[in-house]
Amino acid sequence: MIRHPHFETMPRAELEKLQLERLKKTVAYVYERVPFYRDSMQKLGVKPDDIQTLTDVANLPFTSKLDFRDNYPFGLTCVPQDEVVCVHASSGTTGKPVIAPYTQKDVDTWAELVARSLVCAGMTREDTLQNAYGYGMFTGGLGLHYGGKQLGATVVPASTGNTKRQLMMIQDLGTTAISCTPSYALILHETAQELDIDLYNGSLRLGILGAEPWSENMRADIENKLGITALSIYGLTEIMGPGVSMECPHKNGMHIWEDHFLAEIIDPVTGKTLPYGEQGELVITTLTKEAQPVLRFRTKDITRLITETCACGRTMARMVRITGRSDDMIRVRGVSVFPSQIESVLLTVEGIEPQYMIVVDRQNAFASDELEIWVEVSESIFSDKMAQMATLQIKLQRELDSVLGIKARIKLVEPRKLARTEGKAKRVVDRSELPQL
């Protein structure tokens, strides 16, 4: 089922014509209303009239998270305060939060794009969506809430936390779809096992999962444990929130809603634009935002774009599964390592739980001669003979060395000893933050 066939199946030539028209309007709009963009463009010798083709977007300035913080709170906003109907924000854990203001038109567009995403995933108005993303300033909670209501589905605003209550609502309300982080989906399974609740044969059929990188192996693990189809949703506070792109049941990349967003892939080191199909950092320009349009936002997410028509019939570009963030990349003896690579290995080794930590030394700016990985083992292995633990460690060591191309130090820990989180999973930990196990 396709919610907006006119846009979602538009021939690429027609789509690119629409994108160029909207790009020109956006560039002229921010040049006139945002001193930051006007100054940045003038430094590059670029004027709005210079944008004549889509490839000209490469001549525009990048926007970074630091730019949002330097212009905190409303320095990048294009409209007067009385036109802002709501404000969201990032967590601000590493500095000033990113402020995201919305006009009523922005909120309406957001709700419609999330509804489009849910339809893309296979949801209908007959579904009950239990939304376990956090409500409040975080865009995840209200974004999925707006979209679910726009679709006409029954929305359960569960928010994060209280896992036992979440499980009770799934059972009592007949929840058919759950929206949460992939790591929280596994926490639901873990807690259900403790309570002798059978999620696999229950009402749940679909997971709308995002807000953190996850591997294909983790998808398989979630689907096998919960009995659902697990699909990726993508978004960023700086751009809109969830609903920038969404995976369909064919699981061949997330459809980017290109009538509203212009996506590029760049070399994260040089900033040079890369062709479709090559892996690099995703950069997004908004095409229809009113309150706070954004030019060429560097997402830090590593992916690639494919433009072949999907089996579902949609013609918009798809972003393949994110392998990690450029700022999560760890350099070990000159080799780049992402947490998702480690996760993909762990989920193939029997006796290992999908809970792990990567220990680094931040004083070395994530560059180190050693890589240390703490991994939970299953109850059956941990309670068995030490010889079995030793065999498991050797096997895991061999598998990780083969995939990563470097030797990692493995530490096996007993079940449920590593910290769980109901929000985004924290996989990379500074040595000074290590728990006492």
Side-chain angles (χ1 to χ4, degrees):
M1 182 176 176
I2 297 177
R3 186 168 174 84
H4 299 126
H6 173 71
F7 291 107
E8 295 177 61
T9 63
M10 186 180 285
R12 284 212 65 82
E14 189 178 340
L15 173 60
E16 289 175 2
K17 182 180 178 182
L18 175 64
Q19 286 184 305
L20 180 58
E21 175 187 318
R22 290 179 169 180
L23 176 64
K24 287 180 175 181
K25 288 181 179 178
T26 296
V27 172
Y29 182 65
V30 298
Y31 188 87
E32 176 188 352
R33 297 183 179 221
V34 184
F36 167 78
Y37 280 124
R38 183 166 55 250
D39 293 345
S40 297
M41 288 175 63
Q42 287 175 349
K43 287 176 183 177
L44 295 174
V46 182
K47 295 181 180 180
D49 289 344
D50 294 332
I51 306 303
Q52 296 299 318
T53 68
L54 281 182
T55 56
D56 290 335
V57 71
N59 299 322
L60 294 171
F62 289 116
T63 309
S64 69
K65 191 178 289 287
L66 181 61
D67 294 324
F68 279 91
R69 288 170 177 156
D70 288 345
N71 289 277
Y72 176 89
F74 296 115
L76 300 181
T77 304
C78 287
V79 299
Q81 193 70 33
D82 62 0
E83 293 184 28
V84 174
V85 298
C86 70
V87 174
H88 285 272
S90 67
S91 62
T93 53
T94 57
K96 289 278 191 180
V98 170
I99 295 295
Y102 299 74
T103 64
Q104 186 57 56
K105 180 175 177 291
D106 290 335
V107 173
D108 294 342
T109 300
W110 187 16
E112 189 54 45
L113 288 182
V114 176
R116 183 192 290 189
S117 299
L118 297 176
V119 171
C120 179
M123 272 186 60
T124 73
R125 60 180 298 110
E126 304 301 320
D127 279 294
T128 296
L129 172 65
Q130 187 159 315
N131 187 16
Y133 284 117
Y135 281 64
M137 299 298 283
F138 174 56
T139 57
L142 284 170
L144 266 296
H145 188 98
Y146 294 151
K149 287 184 64 179
Q150 183 79 0
L151 174 59
T154 301
V155 180
V156 182
S159 194
T160 55
N162 204 335
T163 303
K164 291 181 180 180
R165 187 167 179 263
Q166 299 265 10
L167 291 168
M168 179 189 74
M169 288 189 290
I170 289 172
Q171 291 180 296
D172 294 349
L173 302 180
T175 299
T176 57
I178 184 85
S179 50
C180 61
T181 62
S183 54
Y184 189 65
L186 290 173
I187 291 175
L188 284 171
H189 165 74
E190 198 172 73
T191 308
Q193 279 194 312
E194 293 173 359
L195 300 175
D196 199 25
I197 295 172
D198 182 7
L199 282 181
Y200 188 90
N201 293 303
S203 59
L204 276 181
R205 67 175 188 85
L206 181 63
I208 309 294
L209 310 180
E212 63 188 27
W214 53 309
S215 65
E216 281 295 331
N217 287 342
M218 180 175 271
R219 187 214 298 271
D221 196 42
I222 290 170
E223 291 184 338
N224 290 335
K225 287 176 175 176
L226 273 69
I228 63 174
T229 297
L231 301 175
S232 290
I233 190 169
Y234 179 80
L236 311 98
T237 301
E238 295 85 354
I239 298 301
M240 180 183 74
V244 172
S245 65
M246 180 73 220
E247 204 172 21
C248 75
H250 290 282
K251 301 176 182 176
N252 192 22
M254 289 176 274
H255 296 269
I256 302 171
W257 307 131
E258 291 189 283
D259 47 336
H260 294 270
F261 309 104
L262 179 62
E264 308 169 71
I265 295 293
I266 66 166
D267 183 310
V269 177
T270 66
K272 180 183 177 181
T273 302
L274 300 176
Y276 287 123
E278 288 198 25
Q279 181 170 280
E281 180 183 341
L282 179 65
V283 171
I284 299 177
T285 297
T286 66
L287 299 176
T288 57
K289 287 280 290 287
E290 277 190 343
Q292 192 164 272
V294 182
L295 300 183
R296 305 191 79 200
F297 179 70
R298 296 192 58 162
T299 68
K300 302 291 187 181
D301 291 322
I302 304 299
T303 184
R304 59 186 178 89
L305 301 179
I306 50 179
T307 56
E308 294 80 11
T309 299
C310 181
C312 71
R314 293 176 176 85
T315 55
M316 294 183 176
R318 283 163 285 150
M319 49 187 286
V320 302
R321 181 175 294 279
I322 294 168
T323 57
R325 291 178 55 82
S326 60
D327 51 4
D328 273 350
M329 185 177 71
I330 307 162
R331 297 284 291 180
V332 184
R333 297 188 294 281
V335 178
S336 300
V337 177
F338 289 99
S340 58
Q341 292 175 283
I342 295 169
E343 177 184 288
S344 67
V345 174
L346 300 183
L347 290 167
T348 65
V349 178
E350 188 176 353
I352 293 295
E353 295 296 320
Q355 301 293 341
Y356 65 97
M357 283 194 326
I358 303 165
V359 181
V360 298
D361 186 348
R362 293 185 191 276
Q363 291 181 346
N364 293 331
F366 280 51
S368 174
D369 289 333
E370 299 294 336
L371 180 65
E372 187 169 306
I373 306 168
W374 292 18
V375 186
E376 279 189 13
V377 297
S378 65
E379 290 278 4
S380 59
I381 297 293
F382 191 79
S383 59
D384 213 327
K385 297 177 181 178
M386 289 300 293
Q388 193 169 354
M389 287 274 285
T391 300
L392 178 61
Q393 183 155 0
I394 292 169
K395 181 179 180 181
L396 183 57
Q397 184 84 61
R398 187 186 307 118
E399 294 291 334
L400 282 168
D401 291 353
S402 173
V403 171
L404 302 180
I406 56 171
K407 196 169 188 63
R409 183 185 299 124
I410 309 299
K411 179 174 181 176
L412 300 182
V413 300
E414 64 182 284
R416 308 189 196 286
K417 279 296 183 180
L418 298 183
R420 306 301 197 256
T421 176
E422 292 159 348
K424 296 182 182 182
K426 186 175 182 180
R427 300 302 192 191
V428 182
V429 180
D430 183 56
R431 191 171 297 279
S432 64
E433 302 171 355
L434 286 177
Q436 297 299 312
L437 299 183

